[in-house]
Amino acid sequence: MSNGIFKIPAVKNEPGNTYAPGTKERETLKAELKRQSEKVIEIPVIINGEDVKTDTVKQVVMPHAHQHVLANYSQAGEKELRDAVEAAMAAKEAWANMPWEHRASIFLKAADLISGPYRDVMNAATMLGQSKTAFQSEIDAAQELIDFLRFGVECANQIYQIQPDSMKNIWNRTDYRPLDGFVLAISPFNFTAIGGNLPAAPAMMGNVVVWKPATTSILANYYFMRILEEAGLPKGVINFVPSRGSQVSEVVLTDPRMAGFHFTGSTDTFNTIWKTVGENISKYQSYPRLIGETGGKDFVFAHETAQADKVAAALVRGAFEYQGQKCSAASRAYIPASMWEAVKGKLLEDTAKLKVGDVRDFRNFMGAVIDKPAFDSITGYIDYAANSEDAEIIAGGTYDDSVGYFIQPTIIVTTNPNFKTMVEEIFGPVLTIYVYENDKLEETLDAVNTASIYALTGAIFAQDRNAIIHLERRLSEAAGNFYINDKPTGAMVNQQPFGGSRGSGTNDKAGSIFNMIRWTSPRVIKENFVPTTDIAYPFMDEE
């Protein structure tokens, strides 16, 4: 038994590598990319710490070279999903009762393993499987994933120290128990870090998890699962079940013991999940916690006092990094007419320099979009704009999926603030710009606030402080993460806790105590040191 209140190691954001020419990290990453490119691995379902192979086998391919197979993975069916739930529940008691410092040690060790010996493995898997550049992978599969693990431990430690006041003869305590059941985690393709955090955050708080990764990010997610095992994660605490979403909903989501749901993905999917839970609410043994971060239609709004070159740079990076496949990507912009020509010139100049291709060629700024359905959806929006009288494509607009799912960075200018590509989430390298008259500031701010169902990220650019104050107030409900003179992407754990409201999710701020505390079921304990023997109260002494 532990007889100490332990101090966890000091936590700082993980520093990143540059992968600049001549650096050691560039050399080792290139070697790991070559190693992973030259082999095809077999990825099993992992239930109760055991590898399970199924009859249904699917392929993992490179989005930028879609005939190149990286892995074959087993797809879980109904039996495996039910087995995963049972394995999680069987592991629950021992995991919940494990001393906190030992639970914490597992995730701190996993962070150090990623920071050190497995950094290249995680980065290469993310680059090849999800078509991220070296820089985009580094800030995701290395830095952010490490930060989620280390700051998750720090957040849990802070939560456990939130204790009630006590008075004479009384000691009040709060015991932060895990939820009364298991947690279902469904993770997206676009961030390896989110894929890791969705099952890890509930597990840190003593919960057991059934984890369904996105089929297009399985390679990096699988390596993370193996790292957790190496770090000492007990069998059954997290069960890795690549599977069809519809079957997960039928089997796992409706299980009476489901106590929590951790999700990042589309708004439509989250709405369906919420509806399913509502329809089955009388079946559950407790009210399930539903925590989700969904879509975005993120804006950049330039005031007439903004600096045109800085606005243009933010638009290029914010819209086209990782092919615009970030829920925070800049996808709509509002530029005052007085500075449009200056912004346009710099925007076209910078966009023309962007190279698109295989991410193993480090000269490329962009890779491929994730798969054929995404390619078809995004290009459908481009074609719609090309054939519309309300829009003009001023850059890009071309695409080719013969080798990889490549779409050139595309800029659309529209005369309609409610144009289709200004309103609907595209999730690709498409930026739509509305040029507003300087004297139409308030009407345009109304359009920013009401054009979309989402409220995830947004950015304003202005030099005048009074203008900044005004824009910040007017757009106070339009974004959960709000940026002043910066692009609306790149939130860092512990610095900009991430999440939005409206159609963008439950705004529980991943990477903060606001998210972590949702995975607890607090029990308040009152201990009376000197119990009374009295029955009557003083007010009863006289009539």
Side-chain angles (χ1 to χ4, degrees):
M1 176 170 293
S2 301
N3 289 307
I5 299 175
F6 302 109
K7 182 178 181 180
I8 66 171
V11 182
K12 299 290 184 183
N13 287 102
E14 174 74 4
N17 292 327
T18 65
Y19 301 99
T23 58
K24 179 66 174 177
E25 65 261 21
R26 185 185 181 99
E27 178 185 335
T28 60
L29 179 58
K30 285 272 193 177
E32 180 62 22
L33 286 166
K34 184 175 185 296
R35 186 189 73 81
Q36 291 192 28
S37 296
E38 292 176 347
K39 63 188 301 186
V40 177
I41 69 168
E42 302 298 319
I43 299 177
V45 174
I46 303 174
I47 299 172
N48 198 34
E50 303 296 330
D51 292 357
V52 178
K53 294 184 178 181
T54 68
D55 293 335
T56 304
V57 178
K58 304 286 186 178
Q59 292 182 329
V60 176
V61 301
M62 298 182 188
H64 44 273
H66 51 59
Q67 297 306 303
H68 189 132
V69 178
L70 291 165
N72 298 309
Y73 71 90
S74 288
Q75 186 179 78
E78 181 177 343
K79 179 184 183 304
E80 289 77 27
L81 291 170
R82 294 195 188 282
D83 288 346
V85 171
E86 297 306 324
M89 294 304 298
K92 181 176 175 58
E93 183 176 358
W95 180 242
N97 290 327
M98 179 180 285
W100 155 238
E101 66 271 17
H102 290 282
R103 263 193 285 126
S105 293
I106 292 169
F107 296 102
L108 292 176
K109 181 175 181 178
D112 282 0
L113 288 171
I114 298 168
S115 178
Y118 292 107
R119 195 183 202 103
D120 286 338
V121 172
M122 292 300 294
N123 275 330
T126 299
M127 291 175 69
L128 297 175
Q130 292 142 267
S131 202
K132 289 201 170 186
T133 63
F135 174 75
Q136 290 296 310
S137 180
E138 171 70 9
I139 61 177
D140 169 23
Q143 289 178 269
E144 187 171 35
L145 181 52
I146 293 165
D147 286 349
F148 270 134
L149 294 171
R150 290 177 178 159
F151 281 105
V153 170
E154 169 65 21
C155 288
N157 192 52
Q158 291 177 22
I159 290 168
Y160 292 152
Q161 294 181 59
I162 300 173
Q163 294 294 323
D165 288 338
S166 299
M167 57 191 299
K168 184 180 178 180
N169 298 334
I170 299 295
W171 187 13
N172 296 313
R173 308 187 292 274
T174 299
D175 172 22
Y176 292 91
R177 305 168 299 168
L179 303 182
D180 301 324
F182 69 90
V183 172
L184 170 61
I186 298 182
S187 59
F189 79 85
N190 58 335
F191 279 93
T192 298
I194 297 174
N197 184 58
L198 292 190
M204 285 183 203
M205 305 307 293
N207 293 281
V208 290
V209 183
V210 175
W211 174 24
K212 180 215 169 301
T215 57
T216 42
S217 63
I218 283 177
L219 184 63
N221 295 157
Y222 169 69
Y223 281 124
F224 176 65
M225 185 68 193
R226 290 304 194 198
I227 290 170
L228 288 177
E229 291 179 333
E230 184 171 335
L233 187 73
K235 295 180 178 181
V237 171
I238 295 176
N239 299 275
F240 180 81
V241 285
S243 46
R244 291 190 296 113
S246 59
Q247 200 157 47
V248 173
S249 293
E250 293 168 6
V251 176
V252 184
L253 188 67
T254 58
D255 190 290
R257 296 163 293 181
M258 193 198 76
F261 177 64
H262 207 190
F263 176 78
T264 295
S266 76
T267 302
D268 287 344
T269 299
F270 196 46
N271 288 347
T272 300
I273 295 293
W274 203 289
K275 180 181 179 181
T276 301
V277 170
E279 290 172 344
N280 290 274
I281 198 66
S282 61
K283 292 175 55 177
Y284 298 110
Q285 295 174 0
S286 62
Y287 288 103
R289 308 279 177 89
L290 305 181
I291 293 89
E293 190 264 295
T294 58
K297 189 65 184 174
D298 310 296
F299 62 85
V300 173
F301 188 93
H303 185 260
E304 62 183 3
T305 64
Q307 296 173 315
D309 57 344
K310 293 180 173 60
V311 172
L315 288 174
V316 172
R317 282 190 169 182
F320 302 134
E321 286 183 326
Y322 191 42
Q323 299 81 263
Q325 295 175 126
K326 301 180 180 181
C327 48
S328 59
S331 59
R332 55 183 172 126
Y334 303 80
I335 310 297
S338 60
M339 72 165 55
W340 169 233
E341 289 305 316
V343 170
K344 179 181 179 182
K346 186 73 166 69
L347 198 56
L348 294 178
E349 178 186 349
D350 288 346
T351 303
K353 297 175 184 176
L354 304 183
K355 294 183 178 181
V356 180
D358 193 317
V359 293
R360 290 171 290 184
D361 182 344
F362 282 23
R363 294 171 298 179
N364 289 321
F365 183 88
M366 289 169 50
V369 299
I370 194 64
D371 58 14
K372 179 64 172 173
F375 180 88
D376 290 343
S377 174
I378 297 163
T379 56
Y381 281 99
I382 293 173
D383 292 345
Y384 178 87
N387 295 314
S388 173
E389 295 181 355
D390 292 339
E392 176 189 4
I393 296 175
I394 64 171
T398 59
Y399 43 84
D400 182 0
D401 66 347
S402 58
V403 175
Y405 302 112
F406 295 115
I407 300 175
Q408 293 298 315
T410 298
I411 301 173
I412 301 167
V413 178
T414 181
T415 56
N416 177 6
N418 292 308
F419 186 68
K420 184 183 180 79
T421 62
M422 289 286 286
V423 173
E424 298 181 14
E425 184 181 42
I426 302 174
F427 223 67
V430 179
L431 170 67
T432 306
I433 296 172
Y434 173 71
V435 180
Y436 70 92
E437 297 300 325
N438 288 46
D439 61 356
K440 301 292 186 182
L441 175 67
E442 297 305 322
E443 295 94 322
T444 309
L445 288 172
D446 287 337
V448 176
N449 202 27
T450 61
S452 168
I453 65 168
Y454 303 105
L456 189 54
T457 75
I460 61 169
F461 278 79
Q463 289 296 102
D464 181 85
R465 181 52 58 176
N466 286 325
I468 292 172
I469 293 170
H470 180 65
L471 297 180
E472 183 180 357
R473 288 175 177 167
R474 286 283 273 111
L475 299 173
S476 64
E477 297 180 357
N481 283 64
F482 190 79
Y483 297 79
I484 300 172
N485 291 321
D486 200 0
K487 62 185 175 65
T489 65
M492 292 182 67
V493 176
N494 195 53
Q495 295 194 34
Q496 299 95 28
F498 191 79
S501 57
R502 295 181 180 170
S504 292
T506 57
N507 204 13
D508 284 290
K509 300 301 184 191
S512 74
I513 63 170
F514 303 112
N515 178 281
M516 297 293 285
I517 205 165
R518 296 297 306 277
W519 307 115
T520 68
S521 182
R523 177 178 63 153
V524 174
I525 302 166
K526 175 187 176 182
E527 182 173 356
N528 191 336
F529 294 137
V530 186
T532 184
T533 58
D534 291 336
I535 301 299
Y537 291 96
F539 81 94
M540 300 170 64
D541 288 347
E542 292 184 6
E543 182 179 353

